[in-house]
Every structure is written in C-alpha cells, then in structure tokens.
C-alpha cells in the first residue's frame, strides 16, 4: 500500500501562506480537512510544525525570520 507524503498541495485553498498554515493550528486543520478532495488515498502523511503542539501545552514559541 502506498501512503503519500504531502507537504503543501491545497494550501492555497486556505487563503494563507504555507508559513502561516504550518504555524497556526486552525489553519493547519482547515488544510488537512481539504486534502481528501485533492489527494484520494486511504491514508496521508503531512508536514506539521511541532511547535503548534508545544504551544498548546504552554510553551512559549519564538520564531526568527531570516
């Protein structure tokens, strides 16, 4: 069985940039919810910035723009 690894197809449907989607939990949820419309598969693996989870558990997150 093949399981696609998906990083950003469909992000434009959220109206946000990839950076915003991978840093804001609500946008990430919207993006993941729309994936089945474009990538039919029994399972999908997608990229996620794990700082979202850390922030949800109370960690302070600081992003540096280069």
């Amino acid at each position: 069985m093949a399981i696609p690894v998906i990083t950003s197809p469909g992000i434009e449907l959220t109206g946000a940039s990839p950076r915003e989607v991978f840093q804001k939990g609500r946008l990430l949820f919207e993006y993941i919810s729309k994936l089945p419309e474009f990538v039919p598969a029994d399972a999908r693996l997608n990229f996620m910035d794990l700082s979202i989870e850390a922030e949800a558990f109370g960690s302070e997150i600081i992003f540096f723009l280069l």
Side-chain angles (χ1 to χ4, degrees):
M1 174 171 61
I3 299 175
V5 176
I6 301 167
T7 55
S8 57
I11 282 182
E12 65 276 358
L13 298 174
T14 65
S17 72
R19 176 181 224 129
E20 291 174 301
V21 170
F22 295 134
Q23 292 179 348
K24 296 181 181 177
R26 184 69 191 163
L27 289 174
L28 186 65
F29 171 78
E30 289 176 21
Y31 157 64
I32 291 170
S33 296
K34 293 177 182 187
L35 279 177
E37 298 173 31
F38 301 95
V39 185
D42 292 329
R44 293 163 209 82
L45 300 174
N46 66 295
F47 174 80
M48 180 177 154
D49 182 340
L50 296 178
S51 65
I52 292 172
E53 292 175 348
E55 189 174 33
F57 285 102
S59 295
E60 179 182 4
I61 307 299
I62 300 170
F63 292 101
F64 295 93
L65 301 177
L66 300 175

